[in-house]
């Protein structure tokens, strides 16, 4: 449970839990009233006995209240349950005669108590959407970090491979230079050494330029993470 969700979950959870515990003590007459009211709006409950309906509703409210109060239950799950419960109560408000004014939305004096249940829908949707968006943001950040680390590894690998290749080129040029120097006669040895020394220095300079260019490329890639 996120700390910012605690006040909303505690307030709604305690209210719903208390309501469910109270229904377990409902008498026969009260159970008949609740069943008749609910079945008039939701015909699916008509075939249930009044006592069974009241107990089922009580256990549902107790379960929902406990889910809201337990910090181990994700806010997305608890919020979705609260929103669904609120929608059911809002349906009773909107479809029960005498609860709304002529526009079918604003409550009459008798309907004010039920109209307040719409707050449960808003509270549930707030918990669910905030939890979902927070999880999505965390997942996106993890993916971005993974991509950035992969780019850094690739850049480092490219730099290392290019440096090794440049070293190989310089080494090969040096080896060729030594071989040619040995093959040149004594008379032309000084001139050949000078020429080959220039070739070796040019290869070394090219290697340094290549290494610096690749290092700049790696820095640029890492800087865009």
């Amino acid at each position: 449970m996120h700390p910012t969700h605690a006040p909303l979950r505690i307030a709604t959870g305690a209210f719903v839990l208390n309501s469910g515990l109270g229904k377990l003590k409902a008498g026969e007459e009260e159970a008949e009233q609740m069943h008749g009211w609910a079945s008039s709006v939701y015909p699916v409950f008509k075939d249930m006995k009044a006592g069974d309906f009241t107990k089922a509703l009580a256990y549902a409210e107790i379960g929902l209240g406990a889910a809201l109060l337990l910090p181990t239950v994700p806010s997305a799950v608890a919020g979705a349950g609260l929103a669904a419960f609120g929608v059911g109560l809002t349906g009773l408000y909107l479809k029960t005669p005498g609860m709304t004014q002529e526009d079918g939305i604003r409550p009459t004096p008798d309907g004010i108590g039920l109209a307040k249940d719409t707050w449960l829908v808003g509270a549930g949707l707030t918990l669910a959407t905030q939890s979902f968006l927070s999880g999505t943001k965390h997942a996106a950040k993890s993916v971005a970090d993974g991509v950035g680390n992969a780019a850094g590894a690739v850049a480092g690998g490219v730099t290392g491979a290019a440096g090794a290749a440049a070293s190989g080129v310089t080494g090969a040029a040096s080896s060729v230079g030594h071989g040619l120097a040995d093959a040149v006669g004594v008379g032309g040895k000084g001139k050949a050494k000078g020429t080959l020394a220039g070739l070796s220095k040019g290869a070394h300079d090219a290697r340094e330029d290549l290494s610096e260019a690749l290092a700049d490329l790696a820095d640029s890639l890492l800087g865009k993470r």
Side-chain angles (χ1 to χ4, degrees):
M1 180 192 299
H2 194 278
T4 60
H5 294 169
L8 188 57
R9 289 184 60 167
I10 291 173
T12 56
F15 177 85
V16 175
L17 179 61
N18 180 70
S19 177
L21 293 174
K23 285 182 175 62
L24 287 178
K25 303 175 183 179
E28 183 177 350
E29 182 179 353
E30 187 178 356
E32 290 286 351
Q33 290 177 349
M34 283 190 289
H35 177 256
W37 186 15
S39 61
S40 65
V41 176
Y42 301 110
V44 67
F45 297 125
K46 283 186 177 181
D47 294 335
M48 291 184 67
K49 294 181 179 179
D52 294 340
F53 169 79
T54 303
K55 288 182 179 179
L57 179 59
Y59 289 135
E61 291 184 351
I62 291 172
L64 176 59
L68 287 163
L69 293 173
L70 289 174
T72 54
V73 178
S75 290
V77 175
L82 181 61
F85 180 66
V87 168
L89 294 178
T90 301
L92 288 175
Y93 160 67
L94 293 175
K95 296 180 181 180
T96 300
M99 296 293 106
T100 60
Q101 297 184 25
E102 294 180 357
D103 57 12
I105 298 177
R106 291 180 299 161
T108 61
D110 293 335
I112 291 178
L114 275 180
K116 292 180 180 179
D117 291 332
T118 56
W119 299 351
L120 298 179
V121 180
L125 291 177
T126 298
L127 290 173
T129 54
Q130 283 187 352
S131 180
F132 174 76
L133 293 176
S134 178
T136 302
K137 182 179 179 180
H138 179 73
K141 185 178 183 300
S142 298
V143 172
D145 290 341
V147 171
N149 291 334
V154 170
V158 170
T159 301
S167 297
V169 171
T170 303
S174 179
S175 297
V176 171
H178 286 301
L180 290 175
D182 291 339
V184 174
V186 176
K189 187 174 182 179
K191 183 178 180 181
K193 282 185 176 181
T195 302
L196 293 172
L199 176 62
S200 178
K201 184 177 183 304
H204 178 75
D205 293 341
R207 172 193 171 188
E208 293 295 329
D209 292 341
L210 179 59
S211 296
E212 291 178 1
L214 290 171
D216 293 339
L217 176 59
D219 291 340
S220 177
L221 289 173
L222 292 174
K224 294 180 179 180
R225 289 175 56 184

